[in-house]
Amino acid sequence: MKKYLITLIPVVLLGWQRGPVQERVGVTAPTASSMDEDIKPIPAQYKAEELTTRILSSYHYRKTKLNDSLSVAIFDKYIDAIDHGKLYYLASDLADFEQYKNSFDDYLQKRELDVPFQMYNVFRKRYQERSTYIQTLLKEPKPFDFNQDESMNTDREKAAWAKNSDELNDTWRKYLKSEALDLKLSGKADTAVISTLRDRYKSRDRALGRIRTEQVFQMFMNAYSESLDPHTSYMAPTSADRFKQEMSQSLEGIGALLREEDNYIKIVEVIPGGPAFKGKQLKKEDKIVSVAQGDEGKFVDIVGWFVDDAVKLIKGPKSTVVRLQIISADALPGAAPKEYRLVREKIKLEEQRAKSEIVSINNGNKDYKIGVIDIPLFYRDFEGAQHREKEFSSTTRDVQKLITELQTSNVDGIVIDLRNNGGGSLTEAVSLTGLFINRGPVVQVKESQGEIEVQSDNDPSIAYDGPLAVMVNRFSASASEIFAAAIQDYKRGLIVGEQTYGKGTVQTLIDLNQWVPKEPDQLGQVKLTVAKFYRINGSSTQLKGVMPDLELPTAFKVNEYGEGSQPSALPWDQIPSSRYEVASNINPKIIEQLRDKYKHRLKTDEELKTLVKTLDDFKEARENKIVSLQESKRKAEREEAEKKRAAMKQLGEDNVDGDDEEETDPKAAEAPKDVKKKKDIYLTETGRMLADLIVISKEPSLAGTKKKQ
């Protein structure tokens, strides 16, 4: 078993470029190609289909056979990929497609592509029909009556397919009216509102006109690969080449990974060390609706754009300014986009490294010095380590130094903050665990053939044996989950926060041309799930992630984000436990006492009470997917949404909003970080829990003894 880098391969790595790129103002998507001709597969794609099918059938961890049951899943996923919002196909189209539902497995095995391409070409026809309606509507003198009392359901998940064009036209009229109302309430004049919408939908037309056979084939193959699990995918040659180039390029830009979804450009990941990360302004699942250059540039609407075109606007030379209008991932329906100012820069790797601070926690009329070590990802310079460089970059080495510094300052306990840490090096997750335990297993890795390898810490030394807490949230994933699970299984420290993401799988990247070296055509690449991670107690980290010992209030519903939100996620299961020696720091009786004290604070502490109520109100408001299309009511809805968001912001709830308090001053992001620091209620409460642990652990009746598991 090799060393694994436990990260998700991104669709686009925003701002990774070879050299400086000139600022481009007023850029629009390239001219469209004709949509009159059907898109057809090319010979190389039949070869890629055969090879990808063989690899996925034989080597994917799940070992799922191609049969009618899987065919139905592929069919549904393909339809969803083409028309996720049910805004183009008619019910009659779906009735026609029904005859193919059990045949997708046969198409893959027999190298057939005609039907998937035929289905996509039907979509193109329906798209043109909707486009004609949209442009006709937008040519009317007054297309929308904002005094009319009507509403729209923004959730299309359970919507039925439209029975006819008239029904679809009415749905689109409401969508356009809603978009127009958003623009109107943002201060645009009526003529500017219509002009913006016309340009927006012409951009969508151009984008669809640029769809090539390669993109349709990739969509079809991903319907298959993603039916096996959400982290397995096919990359067509152009996408594969772009990925390889971006992985080798220097890190310069705003530091975010993007993808296209539902006509929006969404943020996949915020890269530690980049401007977006340092400003804490952007987060996963946020949608970028428009982009402006510099402090005075005009905003360019990018709704409906390809991600490649959006990237050309957003990335640029370091020290230049880009402004973004963002719809937050957790924004209430109808909420206005927020504007953020970012200064592009080369991503500083030192910003990705672990940092520490000391916070003072008052608990029980006594002040405690709590050391906090923030780890944004598990990093390791493998090349530097291989060449035995003295100071190669390593999470474990950095954290060990920080622990020494904190101990010199006589801290009473240490918190390891893994919130929003999406993973990284498995080697570092194992060695970091070793700083807190004697020696022993840390994680088990099971390959698709059934072979199990145990990754262990073999260093008997312990860097820190004092009171310890580990903070996690819904976006703590992979290596973060391995570390937190090991600390929990060894009963070495408290795990505090939310249920983690639940990514317990390992992927490898396969170049299809390496399998057929004499093949002249480029066939693309497959990212394949080949193994699963298991805790030392035998439980998988897949799907369930790590459940904290003490759960903090959350803004999210169960499985709203994370592996559990993916229908094709691999299941949770168990394997035999490893043998390991449990520490005496934590036991069920201690957890019970800590939970009682925490529950008491939830009832008596005003900040916590306000936090819980605000989060509950916020979640309830997000459940309502109905927005008014009447101007007066929509305005009231926006004002109410802003009140709820302001309440979140006042509490400093980063998981919900991500906004900086300095947001009103566009240049405040450039100020030194120590000038003004937001209060972190979650960190404060974790510090209190750790202080409680310090007190409780001194009680002789609760002290445990080491035992073998």
Side-chain angles (χ1 to χ4, degrees):
M1 183 69 65
K2 305 295 183 185
K3 296 185 180 78
Y4 295 105
L5 186 67
I6 323 165
T7 52
L8 301 181
I9 293 182
V11 178
V12 168
L13 290 88
L14 176 59
W16 288 27
Q17 58 188 16
R18 291 188 179 179
V21 176
Q22 298 300 315
E23 284 192 31
R24 301 167 66 188
V25 182
V27 178
T28 58
T31 304
S33 59
S34 172
M35 288 184 61
D36 296 332
E37 297 181 2
D38 284 348
I39 295 178
K40 298 178 181 178
I42 59 175
Q45 289 166 353
Y46 292 98
K47 301 173 189 174
E49 179 187 27
E50 178 186 30
L51 196 51
T52 300
T53 301
R54 195 193 322 161
I55 290 171
L56 294 182
S57 298
S58 303
Y59 300 105
H60 187 274
Y61 184 89
R62 203 167 209 162
K63 293 289 190 298
T64 306
K65 290 184 178 181
L66 268 170
N67 53 28
D68 287 355
S69 178
L70 184 58
S71 176
V72 172
I74 298 169
F75 174 88
D76 290 340
K77 194 166 281 289
Y78 186 54
I79 293 289
D80 187 68
I82 296 173
D83 188 5
H84 177 70
K86 300 177 182 175
L87 293 169
Y88 297 98
Y89 281 138
L90 296 172
S92 57
D93 297 325
L94 271 295
D96 290 340
F97 297 156
E98 193 73 19
Q99 61 184 308
Y100 310 127
K101 201 163 191 175
N102 294 321
S103 301
F104 270 50
D105 56 328
D106 301 320
Y107 301 151
L108 289 164
Q109 290 171 324
K110 296 177 180 178
R111 297 209 319 178
E112 294 180 13
L113 290 170
D114 290 348
V115 168
F117 275 75
Q118 175 191 329
M119 291 168 64
Y120 184 79
N121 286 321
V122 172
F123 163 76
R124 281 163 64 89
K125 177 185 174 184
R126 296 303 182 203
Y127 182 94
Q128 286 178 293
E129 292 172 359
R130 300 284 69 72
S131 178
T132 300
Y133 167 75
I134 290 167
Q135 294 303 331
T136 301
L137 179 64
L138 294 177
K139 285 178 183 176
E140 294 182 11
K142 290 187 177 181
F144 308 115
D145 178 6
F146 295 121
N147 293 316
Q148 184 182 356
D149 188 4
E150 60 178 343
S151 60
M152 180 185 78
N153 190 338
T154 61
D155 184 6
R156 297 287 297 173
E157 189 76 28
K158 296 178 181 177
W161 295 99
K163 296 182 181 64
N164 50 52
S165 292
D166 289 342
E167 190 176 323
L168 261 187
N169 286 346
D170 189 59
T171 298
W172 270 103
R173 178 189 63 81
K174 289 184 177 181
Y175 261 92
L176 290 162
K177 184 176 179 180
S178 180
E179 291 183 42
L181 190 50
D182 282 337
L183 293 168
K184 183 178 176 67
L185 291 176
S186 70
K188 284 185 179 291
D190 289 347
T191 53
V193 166
I194 300 304
S195 175
T196 298
L197 288 179
R198 284 176 186 161
D199 290 343
R200 176 178 292 181
Y201 283 93
K202 284 177 181 176
S203 291
R204 291 188 188 187
D205 292 346
R206 286 191 289 268
L208 191 75
R210 289 177 56 230
I211 292 283
R212 300 179 301 278
T213 178
E214 184 178 84
Q215 290 158 308
V216 178
F217 177 68
Q218 180 172 279
M219 200 185 315
F220 170 57
M221 294 310 296
N222 276 327
Y224 171 30
S225 62
E226 292 172 11
S227 294
L228 301 178
D229 89 291
H231 307 296
T232 293
S233 62
Y234 168 79
M235 285 189 284
T238 302
S239 298
D241 287 344
R242 182 180 63 194
F243 174 72
K244 283 187 278 190
Q245 290 171 4
E246 287 160 349
M247 286 299 286
S248 65
Q249 292 167 359
S250 64
L251 296 168
E252 189 167 296
I254 68 166
L257 316 181
L258 306 180
R259 71 166 180 265
E260 304 155 28
E261 186 176 304
D262 298 337
N263 285 319
Y264 284 103
I265 301 299
K266 274 193 174 183
I267 294 174
V268 178
E269 202 73 62
V270 176
I271 302 172
F277 174 81
K278 292 192 292 182
K280 293 187 177 180
Q281 296 167 308
L282 309 181
K283 60 184 180 299
K284 287 180 72 168
E285 303 296 325
D286 282 355
K287 293 179 281 193
I288 305 175
V289 295
S290 56
V291 183
Q293 308 300 325
D295 286 317
E296 305 297 333
K298 180 182 177 182
F299 273 101
V300 176
D301 187 287
I302 64 167
V303 176
W305 280 37
F306 277 144
V307 72
D308 289 354
D309 300 316
V311 167
K312 291 173 185 176
L313 273 185
I314 298 169
K315 74 178 182 181
K318 64 180 180 180
S319 302
T320 59
V321 171
V322 63
R323 288 164 24 246
L324 307 176
Q325 287 190 336
I326 301 289
I327 296 177
S328 230
D330 43 46
L332 299 178
K338 288 192 172 290
E339 180 179 330
Y340 297 112
R341 178 186 187 272
L342 296 168
V343 179
R344 302 177 179 107
E345 63 180 52
K346 186 170 182 178
I347 294 173
K348 299 175 182 176
L349 296 180
E350 61 267 23
E351 293 290 344
Q352 303 183 27
R353 299 179 78 153
K355 293 180 175 61
S356 69
E357 64 173 325
I358 296 175
V359 297
S360 179
I361 299 294
N362 183 274
N363 199 37
N365 297 319
K366 181 180 177 181
D367 288 331
Y368 293 85
K369 289 172 68 176
I370 302 297
V372 181
I373 299 177
D374 180 20
I375 306 175
L377 82 165
F378 287 81
Y379 51 88
R380 181 179 180 85
D381 179 2
F382 283 99
E383 187 176 343
Q386 186 176 7
H387 291 107
R388 298 186 179 181
E389 295 177 7
K390 289 184 178 180
E391 296 298 327
F392 70 86
S393 175
S394 159
T395 306
T396 305
R397 290 159 61 100
D398 288 348
V399 170
Q400 189 164 15
K401 291 176 184 176
L402 295 174
I403 288 173
T404 301
E405 293 170 3
L406 292 173
Q407 287 177 316
T408 302
S409 299
N410 296 316
V411 295
D412 297 300
I414 289 179
V415 172
I416 303 294
D417 190 348
L418 297 181
R419 288 176 295 175
N420 303 313
N421 182 321
S425 165
L426 174 60
T427 300
E428 291 296 330
V430 173
S431 59
L432 185 70
T433 304
L435 297 182
F436 304 96
I437 65 171
N438 187 336
R439 64 167 67 182
V442 174
V443 64
Q444 302 185 84
V445 185
K446 181 182 177 183
E447 298 186 50
S448 56
Q449 297 88 346
E451 179 186 349
I452 298 173
E453 183 192 6
V454 179
Q455 300 261 337
S456 300
D457 165 57
N458 297 316
D459 185 350
S461 63
I462 299 176
Y464 178 72
D465 62 359
L468 176 70
V470 180
M471 293 187 73
V472 294
N473 66 4
R474 193 63 50 85
F475 299 111
S476 304
S478 289
S480 293
E481 295 174 294
I482 288 169
F483 174 81
I487 294 298
Q488 190 175 56
D489 289 343
Y490 275 103
K491 303 191 185 304
R492 175 60 192 85
L494 287 175
I495 310 300
V496 180
E498 301 172 89
Q499 179 181 0
T500 60
Y501 192 90
K503 184 184 182 295
T505 56
V506 185
Q507 285 72 43
T508 188
L509 198 61
I510 298 172
D511 189 329
L512 296 183
N513 284 84
Q514 290 180 354
W515 286 56
V516 282
K518 294 183 179 180
E519 172 60 50
D521 296 318
Q522 289 298 307
L523 303 180
Q525 294 183 337
V526 171
K527 177 163 67 84
L528 180 69
T529 295
V530 293
K532 283 177 74 174
F533 290 117
Y534 293 82
R535 302 167 65 139
I536 55 177
N537 68 8
S539 173
S540 176
T541 56
Q542 170 62 17
L543 199 64
K544 291 186 179 181
V546 178
M547 288 299 300
D549 299 312
L550 298 165
E551 291 189 63
L552 295 173
T554 177
F556 305 120
K557 297 182 297 180
V558 175
N559 290 339
E560 183 175 3
Y561 294 108
E563 195 81 358
S565 67
Q566 305 291 330
S568 63
L570 292 184
W572 174 90
D573 63 342
Q574 285 182 298
I575 61 174
S577 173
S578 298
R579 288 183 61 82
Y580 57 99
E581 194 174 76
V582 176
S584 59
N585 305 72
I586 305 294
N587 61 47
K589 196 169 183 180
I590 288 177
I591 295 292
E592 184 181 347
Q593 286 205 18
L594 292 173
R595 189 174 290 116
D596 287 343
K597 290 179 178 294
Y598 169 50
K599 286 181 178 178
H600 177 72
R601 284 193 293 271
L602 282 173
K603 294 177 181 177
T604 58
D605 184 90
E606 291 303 319
E607 281 189 335
L608 283 176
K609 285 165 63 177
T610 303
L611 175 64
V612 171
K613 184 179 186 309
T614 304
L615 287 172
D616 287 344
D617 290 347
F618 196 78
K619 283 186 282 190
E620 184 180 347
R622 288 175 62 203
E623 286 294 301
N624 179 21
K625 304 297 183 182
I626 307 296
V627 296
S628 176
L629 299 179
Q630 186 177 33
E631 184 173 1
S632 58
K633 288 187 177 180
R634 182 68 154 264
K635 189 175 181 180
E637 288 173 355
R638 275 198 171 189
E639 289 172 354
E640 183 63 25
E642 286 304 312
K643 285 181 184 178
K644 293 183 185 299
R645 188 163 293 280
M648 288 291 189
K649 194 171 170 183
Q650 188 175 4
L651 290 167
E653 215 302 87
D654 285 333
N655 284 340
V656 173
D657 193 32
D659 297 346
D660 277 349
E661 290 184 359
E662 304 89 0
E663 167 189 332
T664 51
D665 179 2
K667 297 192 176 181
E670 300 175 14
K673 280 293 173 187
D674 57 354
V675 171
K676 187 174 184 180
K677 185 173 179 62
K678 287 173 67 173
K679 182 170 183 180
D680 187 337
I681 294 178
Y682 289 90
L683 180 57
T684 299
E685 182 54 34
T686 302
R688 289 172 182 160
M689 292 173 176
L690 193 55
D692 287 338
L693 176 63
I694 293 168
V695 174
I696 292 172
S697 298
K698 293 178 181 178
E699 299 175 12
S701 61
L702 291 174
T705 57
K706 292 184 179 180
K707 62 179 180 178
K708 289 191 175 180
Q709 194 77 8

